[in-house]
Amino acid sequence: MTLSQPLRPTSLHEEVAARLRSMVFDGQLQPGSWIDEMALVEQWHISRTPLREALKVLAAEGLVTLVPRRGCQVAELVEGDADDLFPVMALLEGRCAFEAARKATDADIAELRALHGQLEQFAATHDVDGYYRTNHVFHSRVQALAANRWLDRTTGDLRRFIRMLRGRQLHWPGRIEASIAEHRALMQALADHDAPRAERLMHDHLIAQLQALKALRRAAATAPAAVPAE
């Protein structure tokens, strides 16, 4: 290969890594489960080399764990991880909202309003999956509008672990209604270019997610065990 030869936009192992990452985020690969490498090789008609390289990428991101002589296991957040992670994300996403409120153009605000409109529809029909997916896009867009490469890098790295929870907190009774109300206030602060208010509202929005997650955890811990059928 000569230096003048065009490079491929992505290599095969990067494509495989992107597919595996999506499977982790969508729950097709469950936390704590072992990845069946041979099954994926056969299903995707690839050799084991790009798959193993892709798994090394996900291991570096913290999404999977490579276990010598056993294989590869999907990472699992333990109880204390969310308690530690959400406050940090609240600070980071709050800063994203602060900088986005200062820098967003009219076109940017219109784009956020369109996403917020989709959230309103999903909340009205209590479509948790649709709400979660659009909510991820909305938060990612606010992060991009902050236009701070250091903030973007740090927030993006931690957002991967937030995504592993797949919006579990939205299943807490009343949470989706509370979430959309928080989004309405945040959207208005962004539209008003009120950076301090946007920062505070985004921070509190993330903390409210953690509180709902903890409420779900407590409810599960105190729920009576199912009685086996006779």
Side-chain angles (χ1 to χ4, degrees):
M1 183 179 72
T2 65
L3 293 178
S4 60
Q5 183 175 342
L7 295 172
R8 291 182 57 190
T10 59
S11 66
L12 180 58
H13 88 269
E14 289 172 329
E15 296 172 7
V16 173
R19 184 175 296 186
L20 286 169
R21 199 179 291 115
S22 178
M23 291 174 71
V24 170
F25 293 150
D26 291 343
Q28 296 179 56
L29 291 174
Q30 287 291 319
S33 66
W34 292 91
I35 295 176
D36 189 337
E37 296 182 33
M38 289 306 299
L40 292 177
V41 164
E42 294 178 5
Q43 181 180 348
W44 294 345
H45 305 289
I46 59 175
S47 69
R48 297 193 70 174
T49 299
L51 177 59
R52 287 177 171 174
E53 289 301 313
L55 290 172
K56 290 179 183 178
V57 171
L58 266 67
E61 295 174 355
L63 297 180
V64 302
T65 302
L66 301 177
V67 182
R69 295 181 297 279
R70 291 203 61 187
C72 189
Q73 188 175 27
V74 180
E76 187 171 15
L77 298 183
V78 299
E79 183 174 311
D81 285 332
D83 296 344
D84 293 339
L85 176 59
F86 271 91
V88 177
M89 281 298 289
L91 292 171
L92 293 172
E93 292 217 50
R95 185 64 192 184
C96 286
F98 180 93
E99 298 200 21
R102 293 173 54 226
K103 299 173 183 177
T105 66
D106 290 345
D108 294 331
I109 294 299
E111 181 182 359
L112 290 177
R113 285 195 185 280
L115 288 170
H116 176 76
Q118 294 177 37
L119 287 174
E120 290 277 10
Q121 294 176 11
F122 288 128
T125 58
H126 215 270
D127 183 341
V128 171
D129 185 62
Y131 188 93
Y132 161 71
R133 292 177 183 277
T134 305
N135 186 58
H136 168 70
V137 176
F138 183 96
H139 281 252
S140 296
R141 187 59 187 145
V142 171
Q143 176 183 331
L145 291 176
N148 180 324
R149 66 188 180 110
W150 302 111
L151 182 59
D152 182 67
R153 179 174 181 171
T154 306
T155 307
D157 284 346
L158 292 184
R159 192 182 300 284
R160 295 191 186 102
F161 299 100
I162 291 286
R163 291 187 70 186
M164 292 181 73
L165 296 170
R166 292 185 296 281
R168 191 179 306 161
Q169 68 278 357
L170 291 170
H171 293 280
W172 179 247
R175 177 57 203 154
I176 198 167
E177 291 82 5
S179 179
I180 193 62
E182 294 158 11
H183 263 274
R184 291 184 194 119
L186 173 62
M187 186 66 246
Q188 190 59 55
L190 291 166
D192 292 342
H193 301 284
D194 188 335
R197 182 157 57 98
E199 180 175 28
R200 175 176 54 81
L201 290 169
M202 181 67 91
H203 174 277
D204 293 350
H205 176 58
L206 268 291
I207 296 300
Q209 292 183 42
L210 173 60
Q211 295 305 319
L213 196 60
K214 292 170 76 171
L216 270 175
R217 188 191 304 160
R218 288 193 299 269
T222 58
V227 177
E230 295 183 357

